Amino acid sequence: MNRVLLLLEHRENRQLLASWLAKQYEVLSPELGLQAAGFTQALQQPFDLCIVDSQTLEKLWQLIQSIKAKDPQIFSPFLLLTSNQGLSLAAQHLRQTVDELVTTPVNKAELSARVEILLRTRQLSVELQQRNLQLSAANEEVRHALEKEKELNELKSRFVAMVSHEFRNPLTSITLAAHLLECYGQGWPAERRQDYFLRIKKTIRNMTELLEDVLFIGQTDFGKLKFDPAPLDFDQFCRELLEEIQATAGDRHLLQFQIYETGGDGPVLRSPPTPFIGKSTEKSTEESTAPIVCVDAKLLRHVLTNLLTNAVKYSPTGGNVQFTLTYESEHLILQVQDQGIGIPAEDLPYLFESFHRASNVGKIPGSGLGLSILKRCVDLHQGEIAVESTANVGTTFTIKLPRMS
C-alpha cells in the first residue's frame, strides 16, 4: 500500500484529509506543531507522496530540493495544497520542489486524480530503476562472460601453439627414425638398431606424459579428480623420488635432502643434507622413526616431481638442488631451492596459469602445464604455495600442507 505523508500546519485540514485518504492509502499524519525541526524529522521516514501546504513549503523548500537531488532516478512527488493567494509562492517552487498543486477549497475528484497520477509516476520510476539495475547486472554478466570467452580463446590459442610445437618435433623424430630403420636397419649392427628403438620409445613416452598432463588439467577443471589421502612414510617417499630424479639429472646437478622437526626451541635438523648420487637400494636407518603423515601420494608425486625436475631443467649450467622437508606440529613444509635462471618479476603473477611459460626460458623445452598441475594438487590438499625468485640467481618454492596424521 502506498504511503502518503501529510505535512500540513492546519490541524483540522490535516485530520479531514487524513480521514479521507486513509480509505485507499496508508496515511502518515504526524502532530508536528509549528517547529521546522518536527517537519524535518518527518521527512526522514519512507513515503511515496508528501502533501504540503504553503506554510510548510516556505519552511522546507530547501530540504525538499535536497531530497529530490539525493536520488534523481526515483521520483519523489510533493503535492502542494494552496489558496489562490498562495499561487505566487507555488509558481516560484513548481517543478523545483513541488510537482503538482491543488487549490483550496479542495475538489475531491481533482485531488484524487492528481494523487493517483503522482503515485503511478513514482511507481513507474521505481520499476524503471529496478529494470536499470537488472540491465546493469545483465551487462556486467555479459562483460564477464566476454572476458571469460576471451580468456578461453587465448587459452585455446596457447594450447594449439603448444601442441603444434611439442608434438611436431617428436613426431618428426619418430617418422625419421622409423624411416631409417625401415630402409637401412637390415644392414645396421644390433646396438645401433636398439638405439633408434630406444629413441622412439622415449619420444613416445614424452608425448604420452604431455597428453596425461592435459588430461589431468581437464579432470580438475570438471571436478573429476579425486583427493584420496592415506598414511604414508613421507621420508622414504621423498628419498625414493629424489633417487629417481637424480638418476636422470646427470652429474652436473646434485640433489640434496635434509629434514627438520620443530621442537620447543624451533626447527631441529633431524637429517643432515644427503646427496643422492646414483640409486640406492638400502633404506635409511631413520625411516622407522619417521612420522607417518596422511597425504595423497599420487598428487604429491606430481608436486615434487614437477618442482625437482624444473629445478634441474631450469639450471642449465648445473648446480645444487636443495630439497628441505620440515615437520611442524600441524603442517608439512616442502621447500625446493635451485641455482638456475630464475623467474622474471613480470611473469610471477601468471606462473600457475595453464600454458604460461616465463619469458626467459629460451629454447628450454616445456608445455607450461607443470606449475598449473602443481597448484591444483596443492589446492586439493588445502595447502599454500610461495615463490621467491631472482633472475640468474635461482628460485625457491615453498609449499605448506596441513598435516593430517
Side-chain angles (χ1 to χ4, degrees):
M1 181 179 291
N2 292 314
R3 296 169 60 120
V4 178
L5 175 63
L6 299 181
L7 296 183
L8 306 175
E9 290 198 353
H10 195 283
R11 177 181 298 178
E12 183 177 350
N13 289 344
R14 186 171 66 248
Q15 291 175 344
L16 289 172
L17 190 57
S19 177
W20 178 67
L21 291 173
K23 297 175 183 178
Q24 299 183 66
Y25 313 109
E26 179 184 352
V27 178
L28 307 175
S29 180
E31 191 72 38
L32 302 172
L34 299 178
Q35 299 300 317
F39 292 114
T40 303
Q41 184 178 3
L43 282 171
Q44 304 306 314
Q45 57 190 318
F47 60 88
D48 297 300
L49 169 65
C50 181
I51 300 178
V52 298
D53 56 18
S54 298
Q55 294 86 344
T56 306
L57 179 61
E58 202 164 3
K59 297 175 182 177
L60 299 179
W61 66 272
Q62 290 181 325
L63 179 59
I64 293 173
Q65 284 187 0
S66 67
I67 290 173
K68 287 179 170 292
K70 186 176 181 181
D71 190 356
Q73 294 184 349
I74 296 293
F75 178 51
S76 299
F78 285 80
L79 185 148
L80 173 64
L81 294 182
T82 182
S83 62
N84 289 327
Q85 290 79 9
L87 287 177
S88 59
L89 176 65
Q92 297 176 20
H93 296 287
L94 194 63
R95 304 305 176 196
Q96 292 183 346
T97 51
V98 296
D99 305 282
E100 283 287 0
L101 62 84
V102 174
T103 58
T104 56
V106 173
N107 181 299
K108 289 185 177 181
E110 179 188 1
L111 178 60
S112 178
R114 294 185 183 277
V115 166
E116 191 62 26
I117 290 172
L118 290 174
L119 290 174
R120 287 183 183 179
T121 304
R122 174 176 172 80
Q123 182 61 33
L124 287 173
S125 75
V126 171
E127 291 177 359
L128 180 60
Q129 187 193 48
Q130 292 174 347
R131 297 293 186 273
N132 286 336
L133 291 175
Q134 292 172 355
L135 183 59
S136 297
N139 287 337
E140 182 63 23
E141 289 179 4
V142 170
R143 186 188 65 80
H144 183 68
L146 289 174
E147 288 180 354
K148 291 297 292 183
E149 184 177 359
K150 181 180 178 182
E151 291 176 6
L152 287 174
N153 287 334
E154 291 176 353
L155 190 63
K156 290 176 183 177
S157 298
R158 294 206 302 267
F159 174 73
V160 170
M162 182 275 297
V163 169
S164 176
H165 179 269
E166 294 298 320
F167 281 145
R168 183 187 295 116
N169 292 339
L171 287 172
T172 301
S173 298
I174 292 172
T175 302
L176 177 60
H179 175 74
L180 292 174
L181 284 169
E182 181 183 17
C183 295
Y184 308 106
Q186 296 290 338
W188 286 351
E191 294 81 2
R192 187 175 183 184
R193 290 199 304 270
Q194 183 64 20
D195 179 58
Y196 272 83
F197 281 125
L198 290 176
R199 290 184 190 181
I200 292 173
K201 288 181 179 180
K202 181 179 179 181
T203 304
I204 292 173
R205 184 172 63 251
N206 291 339
M207 294 173 66
T208 301
E209 289 175 355
L210 176 58
L211 288 173
E212 288 176 348
D213 286 346
V214 174
L215 178 61
F216 188 98
I217 292 289
Q219 288 177 325
T220 55
D221 284 344
F222 289 98
K224 294 182 178 181
L225 189 66
K226 293 182 179 180
F227 175 56
D228 188 19
L232 180 68
D233 182 339
F234 203 61
D235 283 16
Q236 185 63 19
F237 172 79
C238 292
R239 286 193 177 93
E240 292 175 355
L241 186 59
L242 281 162
E243 287 173 350
E244 293 174 13
I245 295 172
Q246 181 67 74
T248 60
D251 56 6
R252 291 193 306 166
H253 300 87
L254 179 62
L255 275 62
Q256 292 185 318
F257 181 40
Q258 58 185 6
I259 304 172
Y260 286 89
E261 285 188 15
T262 54
D265 298 326
V268 177
L269 184 63
R270 179 162 63 80
S271 175
T274 303
F276 287 81
I277 304 175
K279 188 170 178 63
S280 172
T281 58
E282 296 183 2
K283 290 189 175 182
S284 168
T285 57
E286 298 176 2
E287 289 175 341
S288 59
T289 60
I292 302 298
V293 296
C294 195
V295 294
D296 189 317
K298 182 178 179 181
L299 297 182
L300 280 187
R301 175 171 283 274
H302 279 291
V303 170
L304 292 178
T305 299
N306 184 276
L307 288 182
L308 293 168
T309 54
N310 275 0
V312 171
K313 181 168 66 173
Y314 294 109
S315 303
T317 60
N320 292 341
V321 175
Q322 184 72 52
F323 176 33
T324 303
L325 167 62
T326 303
Y327 291 96
E328 295 185 343
S329 59
E330 297 182 358
H331 295 91
L332 289 177
I333 308 297
L334 314 174
Q335 188 175 82
V336 175
Q337 182 178 16
D338 65 47
Q339 299 171 328
I341 62 175
I343 303 168
E346 60 270 20
D347 288 307
L348 288 173
Y350 313 102
L351 201 57
F352 300 106
E353 291 185 2
S354 298
F355 308 114
H356 178 81
R357 302 196 70 205
S359 56
N360 64 335
V361 298
K363 295 183 179 180
I364 299 175
S367 64
L369 289 175
L371 290 179
S372 177
I373 290 174
L374 179 150
K375 176 69 164 59
R376 294 165 194 236
C377 292
V378 172
D379 288 344
L380 286 171
H381 278 85
Q382 297 183 348
E384 302 172 2
I385 307 175
V387 185
E388 295 180 7
S389 188
T390 303
N392 301 316
V393 175
T395 301
T396 300
F397 281 87
T398 303
I399 295 176
K400 184 176 183 180
L401 303 177
R403 184 170 170 177
M404 296 179 283
S405 57

